[in-house]
Amino acid sequence: MNTKAQEAAKGMGPADFGKLALALVVLAAGIVGFYYFSDNPSVPSFARVVGVIVAVAAAMAIGSFTAPGRKLRGFIAESQFELRKVVWPSRDETLKTTGIIIVVVIILSLLMGLIDWLLKSIVLDWLLKLGH
């Protein structure tokens, strides 16, 4: 059994729960600090926003060292590897495809409008004749 398989089989241990709890405390502290210092004019709003960003980054860094964090980092690494394999369309292909989609949307919109107008005319004429 390789190391990755052994790590996956372990699951989350007490240390991982502690790290996640610490990450939540750091995140909560950043959010609480943002609102706590909102009434204090000596603390600019920019500093409060930076404090929340730092708290989020620290919480993510702490959480990345847990079993779910390692799984997420592996998933992101594999996703980046797969994205390198994607063949992206050229600018010309993108513009042509976008043009075709716009034309189809316009045609379908006109068709749906025509169907709506016909049904409205038929139903209103029918209801008006029943009312007399």
Side-chain angles (χ1 to χ4, degrees):
M1 201 182 220
N2 63 17
T3 313
K4 285 186 180 181
Q6 288 173 346
E7 285 180 13
K10 283 183 192 176
M12 280 186 37
D16 287 335
F17 282 114
K19 290 174 191 173
L20 286 176
L22 178 63
L24 285 174
V25 167
V26 169
L27 182 62
I31 294 170
V32 167
F34 178 83
Y35 289 108
Y36 179 76
F37 291 112
S38 65
D39 295 333
N40 190 345
S42 66
V43 179
S45 60
F46 174 75
R48 293 185 307 127
V49 170
V50 168
V52 171
I53 292 171
V54 167
V56 168
M60 289 175 63
I62 293 168
S64 70
F65 291 105
T66 63
R70 286 187 292 275
K71 284 182 185 178
L72 180 63
R73 284 190 305 186
F75 174 75
I76 291 171
E78 289 176 21
S79 298
Q80 288 175 340
F81 177 73
E82 291 296 326
L83 276 175
R84 288 188 212 116
K85 296 180 184 179
V86 174
V87 179
W88 298 101
S90 67
R91 179 176 171 82
D92 188 46
E93 291 172 333
T94 304
L95 291 175
K96 285 180 182 177
T97 305
T98 303
I100 291 170
I101 290 171
I102 290 172
V103 168
V104 168
V105 166
I106 291 171
I107 291 171
L108 288 176
S109 299
L110 292 172
L111 182 63
M112 294 294 286
L114 177 65
I115 292 170
D116 181 53
W117 178 77
L118 285 172
L119 288 174
K120 182 182 75 166
S121 299
I122 293 169
V123 169
L124 282 179
D125 288 344
W126 181 69
L127 286 175
L128 289 176
K129 287 180 184 177
L130 281 178
H132 289 275

